[in-house]
Amino acid sequence: MKETDVIHVSKDRPEKGKYVKPLFRGLNFIFKNFLSKPVTLQYPTEKTQRSQRWRGLHRLEVDEKGELKCVACGLCARICPSEAITIVPYEEEGGIRYPKKFVINELRCIFCGFCQEACPKAAITLTEVYDYIDYNRTDFIFDIEKLKIPEQFKFTGK
Amino acid sequence: MVEYLIIPVIKLIVMFSVFLFIAAYTTYMERKFLGHMQMRYGPMRVGFHGLLQPIADGIKNFFKEDVIPENADKAVFVLAPAISIAAAIILLSVIPFGPPIKILGREINLYLANPSIGILFILGFSTLGSYGNILGGWSSGNKYGYMGGLRASAMIISYEISMAFAVVSIIMVTGSFSIVDMVNAQTGLWNVFKQPVAFLVFLISGVAELNRTPFDMPEAESELCCGYNVEYSSMKFALFFLAEYIHMIVFASLVATLFLGGWHGPAFVPGVVWFFLKMFAVIFLCIWVRATFPRLRYDKVMKLEWKFLLPVALLNILATGMVMAVL
């Protein structure tokens, strides 16, 4: 066998006994870690800050009189790629339109944010709520009452 | 009557409950310290900062289903945790954890027994505890358990030797096999200053004997998926772990008594406190080492013992004998 056939896996292997000092450096490092504050968070009670552009659960905005801004034009339902939004419009005699039913299936939703972009009245926005959990699939089908205050579904560990 | 029956029984009950309590809370201490060493919190949910976690774990283990694998050797499988825990608890009986105290005019020694061969008793029974691991791994009918059992037997064959030789040099210094005599001989100067090499050898081979990282060959989670206890569940599993932690406490108190002067220390706090402080310092060292070092490769573990620790321990005995002959 020629010398060139030999593959040296580790060329700069330290000499015998050279590993003793690094062992103590490791111990020192771990002790410094032991004295410093943990970097983890206690999740349900402490949470990291979401970005302002975070796309979480939907909210139906209300105006200053407490009525829905939504005029039930159906653009959001139209643009929704996963067909998660169902709207049943209702028009009064005076020409005021509002949604009779506004249902979002949060299990179908892919949180792309197209509905927010498409809305001409800025009536639907995506909030920072990202950890809604529940027991039944039907609980994830949000109606108007649930969509008005999505902040109540923030997970707090209870 | 009082001397031979009532006082030993009271001591037995007190020691048993105190040391089992300490063993349970050593698990909490380990998880908490390990967590903080890895910059996380450790248990936080049960009670204030997770203080009730050991109790919750105990209750959980009681109510778990007790599974015995189909192709296990059932008698040995059930016997193995019992051997493990019995051999661990019996070790506590010869540990002296304080100077004699006076209660109601009676002098009471803070140990259960002081046999004249105390240290041999400890070496013998600590090895017997490993039979629990070996038999448990062997009888599981599982190849990982079998591998774990094989490794456990290899570990006791090798590391027991250097541990015993480290103890031999202490016996030479003291001139007695009794642990109480060993503590009394350290009134002036602790053995760690007389026998620093033996201290290091005892510490390393003791951690190996406990099967803790970096020498946790029998249970190597990442290669044997928990090794010898892989088929165990419920209280049997808990007994194995209780035995492991009691072994750790015994090891820590052995280091404290043989090398760190036992209950001796500056007199402003009582000797019992000194003993437990030293014990917990050694336990902390174990946890610290566990958090720092990765597991050694199997052949390197054997190499460390047979090519380094054993010759060093033998040379240490030789040097001690020469110094004693000259002086």
Side-chain angles (χ1 to χ4, degrees), chain A residues 4 26 34 41-42 52 94-95 99 106 116 140 158:
Chain A
T4 47
F34 179 63
L41 289 177
Q42 298 291 303
Q52 285 193 327
E106 300 286 356
Q116 183 179 12
F140 287 86
K158 289 282 175 296

Side-chain angles (χ1 to χ4, degrees), chain A residues 16 23-24 26-28 30-31 33-46, chain B residues 32-42 44-45 284 288-289 291-293 300 303-304:
Chain A
K16 257 204 160 88
L23 291 184
F24 285 100
L27 283 174
N28 183 33
I30 293 294
F31 195 71
N33 275 359
F34 179 63
L35 297 180
S36 59
K37 200 179 171 332
V39 291
T40 52
L41 289 177
Q42 298 291 303
Y43 161 60
T45 44
E46 293 173 46
Chain B
K32 202 77 187 167
F33 284 180
L34 208 58
H36 277 272
M37 281 167 181
Q38 296 165 352
M39 300 183 90
R40 52 190 178 81
Y41 285 95
M44 283 292 273
R45 293 277 174 238
F284 179 79
W288 189 10
V289 164
T292 308
F293 300 136
K300 299 271 181 189
K303 200 176 152 193
L304 176 71

Side-chain angles (χ1 to χ4, degrees), chain A residues 1-8 11:
Chain A
M1 197 166 72
K2 285 180 289 183
E3 181 60 31
T4 47
D5 294 339
V6 180
I7 301 167
H8 290 279
K11 279 174 189 162

Side-chain angles (χ1 to χ4, degrees), chain B residues 18-55:
Chain B
V18 164
F19 275 102
L20 279 189
F21 180 81
I22 292 177
Y25 270 85
T26 309
T27 65
Y28 171 76
M29 185 176 146
E30 169 145 33
R31 289 174 67 181
K32 202 77 187 167
F33 284 180
L34 208 58
H36 277 272
M37 281 167 181
Q38 296 165 352
M39 300 183 90
R40 52 190 178 81
Y41 285 95
M44 283 292 273
R45 293 277 174 238
V46 194
F48 176 73
H49 280 249
L51 266 176
L52 300 177
Q53 187 69 45
I55 297 163

Side-chain angles (χ1 to χ4, degrees), chain A:
Chain A
M1 197 166 72
K2 285 180 289 183
E3 181 60 31
T4 47
D5 294 339
V6 180
I7 301 167
H8 290 279
V9 180
S10 170
K11 279 174 189 162
D12 42 30
R13 189 187 289 271
E15 295 164 39
K16 257 204 160 88
K18 281 273 180 175
Y19 55 84
V20 176
K21 210 173 140 194
L23 291 184
F24 285 100
R25 275 183 61 200
L27 283 174
N28 183 33
F29 178 77
I30 293 294
F31 195 71
K32 272 182 196 156
N33 275 359
F34 179 63
L35 297 180
S36 59
K37 200 179 171 332
V39 291
T40 52
L41 289 177
Q42 298 291 303
Y43 161 60
T45 44
E46 293 173 46
K47 287 180 178 181
T48 48
Q49 186 66 42
R50 294 294 109 186
S51 158
Q52 285 193 327
R53 298 169 56 175
W54 183 264
R55 302 194 298 262
L57 287 186
H58 311 75
R59 177 174 44 225
L60 285 182
E61 302 286 343
V62 291
D63 55 16
E64 54 272 17
K65 280 182 278 182
E67 284 171 14
L68 288 179
K69 281 184 182 175
C70 178
V71 293
C73 63
L75 277 177
C76 49
R78 187 87 187 182
I79 202 167
C80 182
S82 55
E83 298 180 359
I85 305 178
T86 318
I87 302 175
V88 177
Y90 181 78
E91 190 163 355
E92 277 182 7
E93 287 299 315
I96 307 165
R97 273 172 68 97
Y98 58 87
K100 196 176 169 189
K101 266 171 83 180
F102 197 110
V103 182
I104 299 180
N105 188 340
E106 300 286 356
L107 288 176
R108 283 196 69 97
C109 177
I110 59 169
F111 300 100
C112 61
F114 280 4
C115 48
Q116 183 179 12
E117 280 180 41
C119 186
K121 293 283 183 187
I124 184 165
T125 48
L126 298 186
T127 55
E128 295 173 7
V129 184
Y130 60 94
D131 46 5
Y132 172 55
I133 53 169
D134 222 321
Y135 292 99
N136 293 316
R137 285 180 162 261
T138 47
D139 292 326
F140 287 86
I141 297 170
F142 278 30
D143 56 8
I144 292 176
E145 290 312 308
K146 270 183 155 180
L147 284 169
K148 269 182 182 170
I149 23 175
E151 279 80 4
Q152 64 177 314
F153 300 118
K154 263 186 189 167
F155 181 61
T156 53
K158 289 282 175 296

Side-chain angles (χ1 to χ4, degrees), chain B residues 197-218:
Chain B
V197 180
F199 175 68
L200 277 179
V201 170
F202 189 82
L203 207 62
I204 296 172
S205 46
V207 172
E209 186 77 5
L210 289 171
N211 298 329
R212 288 176 59 80
T213 333
F215 306 103
D216 56 343
M217 285 299 128

